[in-house]
C-alpha cells in the first residue's frame, strides 16, 4: 500500500485547490473522489458561480474576494481560458441603500469605497437604459460594481484537476471513502467502498455536504441544505447578454433571489435562491425542485424580470450547501485526531474564494495558520448561533 504525505478526500473546489498547493509545497499528495471529477452532484459542479466582493459589513470577506479576483484573472491567463467572466455585479434594492447603511447593499457600498473602489449609483433611467430586462420601477435603488462576475465552476474544477495531475498529484476517481482507520489518535489509513485502502501521513477531509456523514462528531456544526437552481431559455436572448445584463441580486437579504447573464456556451439564464434551504441527507434524500419552487420563481420574474417570466425552465437542480451553523467556512485540525484536517462548510458562498482557498487550507493542514483562517477554526455553537452571511435570506 503506497504511503502519501497527504490524502485529500473529495475533489470539489476545497479539495482540489488544497491538493495543488500541497503538491507545489513538495508534499506527495493523492485525491480520492467517487465516480468522476468534477462529480455531477458536487456543489462545485455547475455552469456558473457568483464572484462578488459585496459582503455587507463583513470587510474581511470583501478583502478575501478582492484578492481572489486577482487570482481569477491570473488563472484566466495561466490556463489561457476564460473561466472567470468579469461582467460586474448589480445590487437591486427595494430601499434607498444610503438611507439604510446597515443593509446588505448599504454596508457593501460603504466597504467598497473604504477599499478604494467607486461603485456606480444607477438612477431609474440609468437602469432602464443599461439593463432593460429588469422592471426598473420595482426598485428604489441600484448599485453596480464592475469588479465582479461569475466563474464557470465545473470547468474550473476540471482545469484544476488536469493541472493537479500535471504537478504529480495522484488523482483517484471511482474511490468513495467509507472509513478512517485510527490508531493512537491518528488516522493511519482510509478504506473505500470500492475495496481499496490508502495510507498517508495526514488526511484532509474535503467532502462538502457529505463531511458530517464521514465524521459524525461534526453533525452539530455542519449540515447539508438543498437550494433551488433554475436554467431558463430566454425567448429574447439579446436582452440577457453582458454587458446589457449582469450578475445581480434582487433585494437578496430579504428574498434570496440572484442570477446571471446569458451563459455563453449553454445559452441559458441561471436564476437561483440563496435562502434557508431544506435540510437533506445527501446519501438518501431526493434532491428535487418542486412545483412550489417554480411558482415562486415565476412570481419573482413576473414582477422583476418580465421579459423572462414566461420563458421555459429547461433545467432545475437542488444543490447542497455544506452549511455551518454560522455560515463561516470550517477549516481546522481535528481536536483529537492529530493528522486529520477538515476543510468544508462553504455554506453557499465558498466557490468564489477558490484562488485563495488552496493556500489557506494548506497552511492549516501543515500545522500553520493563515491571515484569514482564524474564524474557520473548530468551534462550538449553541442555540443562539445564527447565520451571519449578510447576503443570505434567513426568513423568520
Ligand atoms: C445552489 C448553490 C449555489 C451556489 N452559488 C455559489 C455562488 O454563486 N458563489 C460562490 O462563491 N459559492 C456558491 N456556492 C457554494 C459553493 O458551491 C461551495 O461552497 C463549494 O463549491 C464547496 O466546495 P467543496 O469542495 O467543499 O464541496 P463539493 O464541491 O461538494 O465537493 C465535495 C467533493 O467530495 C466528494 N465526496 C463526497 N463524499 C466522498 C467520499 N465518501 N469519499 C471521497 N470523496 C467524497 C464529492 O464527490 C465531491 O466531489 C453555491 C452552492 C450551491 C449548492
Amino acid at each position: 500500500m503506497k504511503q502519501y504525505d497527504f490524502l485529500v478526500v473529495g475533489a470539489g473546489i476545497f479539495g482540489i485547490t488544497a491538493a495543488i498547493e500541497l503538491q507545489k509545497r513538495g508534499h506527495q499528495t493523492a485525491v480520492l473522489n467517487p465516480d468522476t471529477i468534477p462529480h455531477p452532484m458536487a456543489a462545485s459542479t455547475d455552469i456558473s458561480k457568483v464572484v462578488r466582493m459585496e459582503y455587507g459589513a463583513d470587510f474581511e470577506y470583501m478583502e478575501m474576494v478582492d484578492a481572489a479576483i486577482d487570482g481569477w484573472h491570473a488563472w484566466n491567463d495561466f490556463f489561457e481560458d476564460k473561466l472567470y467572466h468579469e461582467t460586474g455585479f448589480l445590487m437591486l434594492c427595494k430601499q434607498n441603500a444610503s438611507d439604510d447603511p446597515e443593509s446588505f447593499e448599504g454596508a457593501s457600498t460603504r466597504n467598497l469605497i473604504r477599499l478604494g473602489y467607486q461603485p456606480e449609483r444607477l438612477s431609474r433611467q440609468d437602469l432602464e437604459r443599461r439593463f432593460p430586462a429588469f422592471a426598473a420601477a420595482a426598485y428604489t435603488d441600484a448599485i453596480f460594481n464592475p469588479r465582479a462576475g461569475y466563474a464557470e465552476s465545473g470547468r474550473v474544477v476540471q482545469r484544476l484537476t488536469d493541472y493537479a495531475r500535471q504537478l504529480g498529484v495522484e488523482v483517484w476517481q471511482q474511490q468513495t471513502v467509507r472509513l478512517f482507520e485510527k490508531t493512537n489518535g491518528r488516522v493511519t489509513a482510509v478504506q473505500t467502498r470500492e475495496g481499496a485502502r490508502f495510507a498517508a501521513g495526514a488526511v484532509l477531509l474535503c467532502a462538502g455536504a457529505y463531511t458530517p456523514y464521514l465524521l459524525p462528531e461534526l453533525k452539530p456544526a455542519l449540515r447539508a441544505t438543498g437550494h433551488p437552481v433554475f436554467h431558463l431559455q430566454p425567448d429574447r436572448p439579446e436582452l440577457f447578454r453582458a454587458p446589457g445584463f449582469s450578475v445581480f441580486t434582487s433585494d437578496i437579504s430579504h428574498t434570496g433571489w440572484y442570477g446571471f447573464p446569458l451563459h455563453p456556451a449553454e445559452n441559458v439564464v441561471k436564476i437561483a435562491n440563496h435562502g434557508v434551504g431544506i435540510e437533506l441527507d445527501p446519501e438518501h434524500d431526493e434532491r428535487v425542485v418542486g412545483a412550489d419552487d417554480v411558482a415562486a420563481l415565476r412570481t419573482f420574474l413576473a414582477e422583476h424580470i418580465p421579459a423572462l417570466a414566461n420563458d421555459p425552465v429547461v433545467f432545475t437542480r437542488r444543490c447542497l450547501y455544506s452549511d455551518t451553523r454560522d455560515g463561516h467556512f470550517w477549516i481546522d485540525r481535528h481536536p483529537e485526531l492529530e493528522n486529520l484536517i477538515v476543510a468544508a462548510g462553504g455554506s453557499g458562498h465558498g466557490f468564489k474564494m477558490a484562488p485563495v482557498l488552496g493556500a489557506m487550507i494548506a497552511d492549516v493542514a501543515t500545522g500553520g495558520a493563515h491571515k484569514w483562517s482564524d474564524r474557520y477554526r473548530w468551534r462550538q455553537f449553541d442555540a443562539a448561533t445564527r447565520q451571519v452571511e449578510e447576503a443570505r435570506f434567513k426568513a423568520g
Side-chain angles (χ1 to χ4, degrees), residues 171-245:
V171 178
W172 294 83
Q173 303 190 101
Q174 319 286 347
Q175 293 295 340
T176 314
V177 171
R178 69 177 189 84
L179 181 129
F180 298 119
E181 295 179 8
K182 303 165 191 170
T183 313
N184 301 331
R186 293 180 62 83
V187 177
T188 49
V190 306
Q191 296 179 12
T192 69
R193 287 187 198 157
E194 294 78 6
R197 278 179 82 229
F198 296 85
V203 174
L204 179 54
L205 178 56
C206 304
Y210 293 80
T211 302
Y213 295 84
L214 283 164
L215 215 55
E217 57 266 45
L218 275 176
K219 281 204 168 153
L222 265 170
R223 58 199 174 143
T225 55
H227 302 262
V229 171
F230 310 86
H231 294 178
L232 294 103
Q233 193 119 62
D235 182 43
R236 299 178 57 197
E238 70 284 0
L239 278 177
F240 299 96
R241 280 198 189 89
F245 200 81

Side-chain angles (χ1 to χ4, degrees), residues 9-15 32-34 36 38-39 41-46 48-51 55 175-178 193 206-210 214 225 227-229 258 260 270 272-273 283 318-322 329 343-353:
V9 178
I13 202 65
F14 278 59
L32 309 180
N33 204 90
T36 56
H39 193 281
M41 304 299 271
S44 302
T45 309
D46 204 334
S48 56
K49 300 281 182 185
V50 175
V51 177
Y55 266 89
Q175 293 295 340
T176 314
V177 171
R178 69 177 189 84
R193 287 187 198 157
C206 304
Y210 293 80
L214 283 164
T225 55
H227 302 262
V229 171
Y258 69 99
F260 301 79
K270 172 182 164 183
N273 196 283
E283 288 281 359
R318 187 169 290 279
C319 167
L320 299 185
Y321 291 3
S322 168
F329 311 145
S347 303
H349 66 107
F351 196 92
K352 63 178 74 62
M353 305 297 179

Side-chain angles (χ1 to χ4, degrees), residues 280-308:
L280 290 173
D281 174 335
E283 288 281 359
H284 303 105
D285 291 340
E286 273 204 308
R287 306 180 193 188
V288 288
V289 170
D292 294 355
D293 300 302
V294 175
L297 171 76
R298 293 287 181 206
T299 305
F300 164 68
L301 293 175
E303 189 185 335
H304 300 91
I305 315 178
L308 201 58

